[in-house]
Amino acid sequence: RGPLQTVPTRLGAWNCPKCFGILKHSKFLSLELRGQLPSSLSLSCSNRKREDILESAQYFMGVALLAAQRSRDPSTQVGACIVNEEKKIVGVGYNGMPNGCGDDTLPWRRSGDSPVETKYFYVCHAELNAIMNKNSADLKGCTIYVTLFPCNKCSKLLIQAGIKKVIYLSDKYHNGEETVASRRMLDLAGIPYDPTEPVEKNVVRRASG
Ligand SMILES: O=c1ccn([C@H]2C[C@H](O)[C@@H](COP(=O)(O)O)O2)c(=O)[nH]1
């Protein structure tokens, strides 16, 4: 237990004897008293809903960004979040080695004497993993939020899975052959791809209160 601190001004419950009565024994309140609760989670008796909430597209890209943080790729971490027409998340993934293949056994380098000694022959892309992790019967009509514009192989997968829209963050390989081929297929398949506004600062600011 840490030392008690002065009561934070945002703790509206202190002004309401009824709420304080209920909360004074709870772990939640004691965390706030010890200053360990992010201010964004402060308790309040206000009857007014919050208006300044994280917009849904930023939330989904935020989930993709968080997933990317699980990647062991030393140069490019990619996260993907698939969302259905009801705005429910149905699959999340990030780039990594195939299950059971060992992160420490296969190479992570970008170039080598042979392509067999580079990561490219082995890494499962974020989009592939998000599709494989799906928790719904199919992905028809879904939107994918992905932190890097999908490569040609991933676009093939997205098209075949029935994804109807791509929202991406980085397009750092815009002029690469794979990305050119990717756009070509998405265009032919009638799948729009739109950049998202930069979300990192917004998401991080909100998460830390
Ligand atoms: O659509 C894509 C494209 C790439 N990835 C993954 C594959 C690799 O792990 C990295 C790219 O590495 P670089 O060092 O930037 O070449 O990104 C993906 O998940 N999805």
Side-chain angles (χ1 to χ4, degrees):
R1 282 182 170 265
L4 285 184
Q5 294 180 354
T6 13
V7 179
T9 49
R10 288 187 63 184
L11 189 61
W14 280 100
N15 301 324
C16 169
K18 208 166 165 191
C19 292
F20 181 64
I22 297 165
L23 294 168
K24 71 177 172 184
H25 299 298
S26 78
K27 198 178 166 200
F28 199 44
L29 184 62
S30 65
L31 277 176
E32 173 95 19
L33 280 170
R34 280 181 278 143
Q36 293 172 9
L37 195 65
S39 58
S40 56
L41 295 180
S42 282
L43 303 168
S44 167
C45 289
S46 169
N47 190 36
R48 235 177 305 134
K49 70 175 184 186
R50 285 179 65 229
E51 298 292 348
D52 182 27
I53 60 165
L54 191 64
E55 192 245 314
S56 61
Q58 299 227 328
Y59 164 54
F60 297 132
M61 190 57 84
V63 170
L65 277 167
L66 198 57
Q69 291 307 305
R70 292 278 304 148
S71 174
R72 293 195 188 273
D73 190 318
S75 52
T76 303
Q77 304 81 42
V78 187
C81 174
I82 302 177
V83 177
N84 71 12
E85 287 165 311
E86 294 168 7
K87 299 212 174 228
K88 299 224 165 68
I89 295 175
V90 291
V92 176
Y94 56 90
N95 51 331
M97 293 303 177
N99 292 339
C101 287
D103 290 329
D104 298 320
T105 314
L106 293 170
W108 283 109
R109 67 179 74 86
R110 305 180 80 215
S111 58
D113 293 341
S114 150
V116 178
E117 291 311 320
T118 73
K119 65 182 174 182
Y120 297 108
F121 270 28
Y122 309 104
V123 174
C124 296
H125 289 195
E127 298 90 326
L128 167 82
N129 282 330
I131 290 171
M132 298 307 291
N133 290 340
K134 74 177 191 297
N135 60 11
S136 75
D138 72 59
L139 300 176
K140 289 195 176 57
C142 288
T143 297
I144 188 163
Y145 292 79
V146 62
T147 60
L148 177 66
F149 196 97
C151 70
N152 60 321
K153 293 191 198 83
C154 289
S155 281
K156 285 190 256 186
L157 287 173
L158 300 179
I159 292 168
Q160 298 304 79
I163 298 282
K164 70 141 205 271
K165 191 170 183 182
V166 175
I167 311 280
Y168 63 92
L169 185 61
S170 164
D171 193 15
K172 66 176 180 174
Y173 296 128
H174 183 86
N175 296 319
E177 289 169 343
E178 292 189 351
T179 314
V180 171
S182 179
R183 282 195 300 273
R184 187 175 185 177
M185 285 186 284
L186 292 172
D187 286 340
L188 286 169
I191 298 176
Y193 42 86
D194 296 322
T196 183
E197 58 182 282
V199 296
E200 291 101 325
K201 282 202 186 102
N202 200 7
V203 170
V204 171
R205 176 178 62 79
R206 286 166 178 280
S208 55

